[in-house]
């Protein structure tokens, strides 16, 4: 380290640097930590906590000074954290992306399949896993639109909502079961994906983001205000549970799961069943995406992300390419929505706010656009992190924000930024036979 | 098709960008087996003509005919499926895809049964692409990217190859290599080429016939050698510019 820059920085400069850091800490901490809103008589009151702010500023000053005089002494100014991360993490995923995903994939799959049998899997762990898997599935679905086709969609939650309401309405009005409604919800969501797709065909980047954002809000506002149809803010109650070949997961009934298999009733049966449903749905999403990437339509999505003009000059119909990306992405969002509705048993527009879209998009971006394994890691880290830091209450979002900033400093293109080629030519024969069967869709 | 009628024929084409006229009634023919070049200064409308042939933007008046079919009002992707292939201006390869995947994209829309054969042909023409086949397109040098753009266009087995400024920003030696490859394709395969170039000297030496465009109109045409010899062409495009 000392060899790169042998000159020692003068002590006065180091103190000044620490003072600047303390000043930044003051500016940040004063409004965030220094002022707390409390419910007082006659409305909201402010509670000042200047002693906490003072402690934080002092800690930052002392810490920065200590670092400046010890490990940073010889290195001159540099952006916070850069070198640290490089030394600590290197570029672990970038260099070994391929081998890593080869090991992680099967390992994660094995853990996921065996999870309900593991000793620490209680009700809480299973519920959390179901939630994480839902977000993984949503992340994979959005990955088709954003990661592969490069169409920035800020309203993905709309399709999640459409899937959930499709199932809830079909089930409560027509008494249809989960397994019949699931494909219907997917088809309806895909249909709305195409409806969104048409007006935004000519848009890209920021403009597309704004329109999709508005679309997400329109769907939510319609759900909120169309009282007669959707129940408005009261939502829909009494959405049925899924059944296993007609077997119900209820304590009493004509055809219950525990009686059929001669088990004593346990509420965990249903949870484990739900867990396997979402695991299957997520794996189907992943499998379909990976297959599509190798087919002409998937390659067209990726080419579209890279260069739309070049696509047209190669005879690719960019209209169809965009619409299929929207439709297939939306379809998986709809599946996930159906599952959400059956798991909760109750849905209302409150579950489908913009923050959900932002969260799913954050999972895709942090994971690395287009990377399937990256989505899994990001979903586990983010949703798991949310749960883990629950006791920190209002500091949770602070930690979350900080973590995001650090990830973006450390890996600006997401955790897994390398794109694995959809085809690697090793033998002429192998690729030839593979391609002949494909044709163009 | 009768032998005398041209493969590509542009008649009285006027193209506008909004209300601004870019092409003022252009007539141009490309016959089977020919290399035809269009030269002109910056902003003369060369690339606009190339884009108009591809249908984006479409000509407001006049007609573009390929192999007897009127393609003036066809959408771009349908035109590009009619045995016409383009290496667009600025190369526009797919940077995050590998060389092989880029080539595959070129073949994507046609029958894939002769993919292997075509791939070998492209590799023979540009051996460097074979060496770099699993490398990402964005990591190639400018010259290699241009070769990839041409190779990608060839993968669809075109009858007409449209090249928009293939020498743009490339070292003289690389330009020579690329032009030699175009000449070889024309000689051995009989490929018809329409070449838009600013590098007038090389383009006219390569081409059988040439057109000169000034301010949206064709002002001169003739064989490559004829145009090279003409005083106006030398003065405007060649003097001090043998690069």
């Amino acid at each position: 380290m000392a060899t790169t820059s042998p000159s020692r920085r003068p002590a006065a400069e180091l103190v000044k640097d620490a003072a600047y850091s303390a000043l930044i800490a003051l500016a940040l901490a004063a409004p965030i930590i220094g002022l707390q809103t409390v419910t007082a008589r006659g409305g909201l009151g402010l509670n000042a906590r200047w002693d906490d702010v003072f402690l934080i500023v002092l800690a930052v000053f002392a810490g920065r000074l200590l670092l400046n005089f010890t490990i940073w002494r010889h290195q001159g100014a540099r952006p916070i954290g850069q070198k640290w991360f490089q030394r600590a993490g290197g570029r672990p995923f970038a260099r070994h992306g391929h081998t890593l995903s080869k090991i992680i994939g099967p390992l994660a799959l094995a853990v996921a399949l065996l999870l309900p049998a593991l000793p620490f899997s209680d009700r809480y762990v299973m519920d959390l896993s179901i939630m994480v898997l839902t977000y993984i599935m949503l992340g994979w679905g959005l990955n088709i639109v954003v990661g592969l086709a490069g169409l920035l969609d800020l309203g993905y939650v709309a399709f999640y909502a459409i899937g959930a309401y499709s199932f809830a309405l079909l089930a409560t009005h027509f008494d249809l079961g989960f397994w019949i409604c699931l494909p219907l919800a997917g088809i309806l969501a895909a249909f709305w994906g195409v409806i969104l797709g048409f007006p935004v065909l000519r848009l890209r980047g920021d403009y597309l983001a704004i329109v999709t954002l508005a679309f997400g809000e329109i769907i939510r506002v319609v759900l909120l205000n169309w009282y007669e149809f959707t129940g408005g803010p009261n939502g829909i109650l009494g959405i049925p549970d899924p059944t296993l070949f007609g077997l119900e997961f209820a304590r009493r009934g004509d055809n219950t799961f525990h009686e059929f298999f001669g088990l004593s009733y346990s509420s965990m049966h249903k949870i484990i069943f739900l867990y396997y449903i979402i695991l299957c749905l997520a794996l189907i999403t992943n499998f379909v995406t990976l297959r599509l990437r190798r087919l002409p339509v998937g390659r067209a999505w990726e080419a579209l992300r890279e260069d739309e003009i070049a696509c047209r000059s190669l005879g690719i119909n960019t209209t169809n390419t965009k619409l299929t990306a929207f439709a297939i992405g939306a379809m998986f969002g709809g599946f996930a929505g159906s599952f959400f509705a059956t798991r909760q048993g109750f849905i209302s527009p409150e579950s489908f706010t913009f923050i959900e879209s932002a969260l799913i998009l954050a999972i895709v971006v942090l994971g690395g656009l287009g990377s399937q394994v990256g989505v899994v890691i990001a979903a586990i880290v983010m949703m798991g992190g949310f749960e883990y830091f629950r006791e920190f209450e209002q500091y949770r979002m602070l930690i979350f924000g900080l973590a995001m900033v650090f990830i973006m400093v450390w890996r600006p293109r997401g955790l897994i930024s390398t794109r694995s080629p959809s085809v690697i030519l090793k033998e002429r024969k192998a690729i030839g036979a593979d391609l002949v069967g494909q044709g163009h869709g | 098709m009768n032998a005398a009628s041209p493969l590509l024929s542009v008649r009285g084409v006027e193209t506008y960008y909004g209300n601004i006229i870019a092409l003022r009634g252009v007539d141009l023919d490309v016959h089977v087996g020919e290399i035809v070049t269009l030269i002109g200064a910056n902003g003369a409308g060369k690339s606009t003509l190339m884009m108009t042939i591809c249908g984006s933007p479409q000509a407001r008046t006049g007609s573009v005919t390929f192999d007897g079919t009127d393609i003036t009002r066809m959408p771009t992707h349908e035109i590009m499926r009619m045995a016409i292939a383009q290496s667009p201006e600025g190369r526009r390869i797919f940077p995050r895809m590998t060389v092989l995947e880029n080539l595959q994209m070129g073949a994507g829309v046609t029958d894939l049964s002769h993919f292997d054969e075509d791939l070998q042909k492209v590799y023979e023409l540009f051996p460097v692409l074979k060496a770099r086949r699993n490398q990402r397109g964005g990591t190639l040098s400018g010259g290699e990217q241009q070769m990839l753009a041409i190779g990608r266009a060839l993968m669809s087995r075109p009858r007409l190859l449209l090249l928009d400024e293939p020498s743009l920003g490339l070292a003289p030696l690389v330009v020579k290599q690329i032009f030699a490859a175009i000449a070889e394709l024309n000689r051995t395969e009989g490929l018809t080429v329409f070449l838009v170039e600013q590098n007038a000297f090389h383009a006219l030496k390569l081409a059988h016939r040439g057109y000169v465009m000034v301010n949206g109109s064709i002002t001169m045409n003739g064989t490559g050698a004829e145009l090279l010899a003409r005083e106006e062409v030398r003065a405007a495009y060649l003097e001090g510019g043998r690069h």
Side-chain angles (χ1 to χ4, degrees):
Chain A
M1 278 195 318
T3 51
T4 52
S5 152
S7 64
R8 289 164 71 96
R9 298 158 70 201
E13 199 190 304
L14 298 181
V15 176
K16 214 164 93 183
D17 176 71
Y20 274 132
S21 307
L23 207 65
I24 294 170
L26 178 67
L28 282 174
I32 298 173
I33 294 161
L35 298 172
Q36 186 188 24
T37 52
V38 286
T39 19
R41 288 162 71 101
L44 274 180
L46 275 180
N47 182 15
R49 297 185 295 182
W50 301 120
D51 43 345
D52 286 354
V53 174
F54 177 71
L55 280 177
I56 282 170
V57 171
L58 201 69
V60 168
F61 181 76
R64 182 88 183 177
L65 205 62
L66 190 73
L67 286 170
N68 276 346
F69 274 102
T70 54
I71 48 178
W72 290 349
R73 181 82 213 229
H74 303 283
Q75 289 169 15
R78 98 170 72 78
I80 301 166
Q82 203 177 353
K83 193 89 176 190
W84 266 36
F85 278 125
Q86 273 172 13
R87 288 203 304 145
R91 292 189 156 263
F93 297 121
R95 206 175 302 134
H96 311 295
H98 214 66
T99 43
L100 198 75
S101 56
K102 256 182 200 158
I103 303 164
I104 282 187
L107 197 72
L109 182 64
V111 171
L113 283 172
L114 296 173
L115 187 71
L118 296 178
F120 58 85
S121 297
D122 52 9
R123 171 87 197 239
Y124 172 75
V125 170
M126 293 313 294
D127 271 338
L128 184 60
S129 308
I130 289 173
M131 187 181 72
V132 169
L133 274 171
T134 312
Y135 279 95
I136 289 176
M137 179 169 176
L138 287 167
W140 276 339
L142 185 62
N143 209 4
I144 294 175
V145 185
V146 180
L148 292 183
L151 304 162
L152 184 53
D153 185 350
L154 289 183
Y156 191 64
V157 77
F159 306 120
Y160 189 40
I162 287 165
Y165 270 87
S166 303
F167 170 52
L169 289 169
L170 286 169
T172 50
H173 287 291
F174 300 107
D175 209 23
L176 295 173
F178 176 72
W179 296 109
I180 294 169
C181 292
L182 184 72
L184 289 178
I187 290 166
L188 276 167
F191 172 71
W192 280 96
V194 173
I195 289 192
L196 167 67
F198 263 114
V200 300
L201 280 174
R202 291 164 165 274
L203 304 179
R204 275 191 86 76
D206 342 15
Y207 303 99
L208 178 66
I210 291 169
V211 177
T212 53
L213 173 70
F215 179 77
E217 284 302 287
I218 288 169
I219 294 289
R220 189 178 64 82
V221 170
V222 167
L223 293 176
L224 198 61
N225 290 294
W226 195 357
Y227 196 86
E228 302 77 35
F229 187 57
T230 65
N234 298 337
I236 299 171
L237 270 165
I239 303 165
D241 288 329
T243 55
L244 178 68
F245 300 111
L247 297 176
E248 286 174 32
F249 287 85
R251 186 182 290 275
R252 272 175 288 277
D254 304 330
N255 207 2
T256 59
F257 174 79
H258 63 100
E259 279 172 5
F260 186 83
F261 286 99
L263 302 165
S264 58
Y265 176 76
S266 159
S267 61
M268 276 303 280
H269 291 158
K270 190 181 105 185
I271 305 293
I272 291 170
F273 180 54
L274 284 170
Y275 174 81
Y276 278 117
I277 291 178
I278 187 64
L279 184 63
C280 278
L281 287 174
L283 288 175
I284 289 169
T285 311
N286 183 36
F287 178 75
V288 170
T289 310
L290 290 180
R291 284 300 304 167
L292 284 175
R293 255 197 76 196
R294 287 157 200 272
L295 294 178
V297 62
R299 285 190 281 122
W301 287 340
E302 286 201 85
L304 186 73
R305 175 191 68 201
E306 306 275 293
D307 197 320
E308 192 171 339
I309 293 174
C311 275
R312 256 188 249 125
S313 84
L314 292 175
I316 293 168
N317 185 339
T318 50
T319 305
N320 287 356
T321 308
K322 283 183 186 179
L323 289 180
T324 48
F326 271 120
I328 293 179
M331 182 182 76
F332 289 122
F335 288 154
S338 277
F339 174 79
F340 177 77
T342 193
R343 182 183 86 113
Q344 299 288 92
F346 162 74
I347 51 166
S348 78
E350 235 168 82
S351 307
F352 308 107
T353 52
F354 170 66
I355 196 76
E356 291 291 314
S357 288
L359 198 61
I360 303 163
L361 187 67
I363 287 173
V364 174
V365 173
L366 286 181
L369 290 172
S371 164
Q372 298 290 93
V373 176
V375 166
V376 176
I377 297 173
I380 292 172
V381 168
M382 283 187 54
M383 303 320 294
F386 263 156
E387 274 305 306
Y388 188 75
F389 289 113
R390 191 170 278 283
E391 56 201 280
F392 292 82
E393 290 173 19
Q394 68 260 53
Y395 295 101
R396 193 154 70 127
M397 286 318 263
L398 199 70
I399 294 167
F400 175 58
L402 210 66
M404 272 190 126
V405 169
F406 274 123
I407 290 178
M408 284 294 115
V409 169
W410 173 41
R411 301 206 50 82
R413 306 194 70 175
L415 290 171
I416 296 187
S417 57
T418 46
R419 174 186 168 277
S420 52
S422 62
V423 53
I424 297 170
L425 192 62
K426 282 174 189 145
E427 281 180 320
R428 280 184 54 196
K429 279 282 186 295
I431 187 71
D434 185 31
L435 281 162
V436 169
Q438 284 180 9
H440 185 74
Chain B
M1 199 190 76
N2 120 35
S5 73
L7 184 63
L8 177 78
S9 158
V10 176
R11 283 286 166 272
V13 159
E14 289 189 359
T15 302
Y16 290 76
Y17 289 115
N19 284 323
I20 301 160
I21 188 160
L23 296 179
R24 305 163 191 270
V26 173
D27 294 315
L28 185 143
D29 286 318
V30 181
H31 294 274
V32 175
E34 263 188 328
I35 300 179
V36 173
T37 185
L38 175 67
I39 60 170
N42 261 335
K46 305 185 300 292
S47 287
T48 305
L49 178 59
M50 180 71 97
M51 305 274 281
T52 303
I53 293 169
C54 297
S56 158
Q58 290 184 348
R60 194 173 285 185
T61 53
S63 71
V64 182
T65 315
F66 175 73
D67 199 8
T69 315
D70 187 352
I71 59 170
T72 323
R73 300 270 173 265
M74 272 182 157
T76 304
H77 68 266
E78 280 178 28
I79 295 173
M80 303 320 289
R81 290 180 185 190
M82 293 192 61
I84 302 181
Q86 187 199 18
S87 156
E89 190 179 8
R91 309 187 268 271
R92 292 194 174 272
I93 55 141
F94 302 116
R96 289 184 69 192
M97 293 180 156
T98 63
V99 168
L100 181 63
E101 285 174 310
N102 266 280
L103 293 172
Q104 227 183 34
M105 291 309 303
V109 294
T110 51
D111 166 27
L112 284 167
S113 56
H114 40 66
F115 178 82
D116 268 355
E117 193 188 321
D118 294 347
L119 191 66
Q120 292 315 312
K121 267 189 197 161
V122 170
Y123 284 163
E124 268 165 41
L125 194 65
F126 301 117
V128 67
L129 294 182
K130 187 172 189 180
R132 303 222 187 282
R133 63 187 181 275
N134 289 331
Q135 210 170 310
R136 286 193 297 124
T139 63
L140 301 185
S141 74
E144 289 161 356
Q145 289 190 7
Q146 184 60 59
M147 293 174 195
L148 179 55
I150 295 173
R152 187 178 65 179
L154 291 173
M155 290 301 289
S156 66
R157 295 203 159 180
R159 291 181 59 204
L160 173 64
L161 178 65
L162 306 174
L163 295 172
D164 200 345
E165 304 246 10
S167 75
L168 196 73
L170 300 184
L173 202 66
V174 181
V175 175
K176 249 187 191 159
Q177 201 184 338
I178 285 171
F179 277 31
I182 297 167
E184 194 193 315
L185 274 173
N186 176 258
R187 200 173 48 243
T188 57
E189 313 254 320
L191 182 70
T192 314
V193 179
F194 178 56
L195 169 72
V196 164
E197 255 303 336
Q198 276 207 60
N199 193 331
F201 179 70
H202 276 118
L204 290 174
K205 267 185 77 173
L206 172 75
H208 301 115
R209 289 190 306 116
Y211 290 85
V212 179
M213 183 174 261
V214 177
N215 206 5
S217 311
I218 302 285
T219 55
M220 270 179 271
N221 70 76
T223 66
E226 259 170 39
L227 287 175
L228 262 178
R230 283 175 79 153
E231 206 47 51
E232 312 94 287
V233 175
R234 299 192 74 88
Y237 305 107
L238 296 175
E239 293 306 317
R242 282 197 168 206
H243 47 69

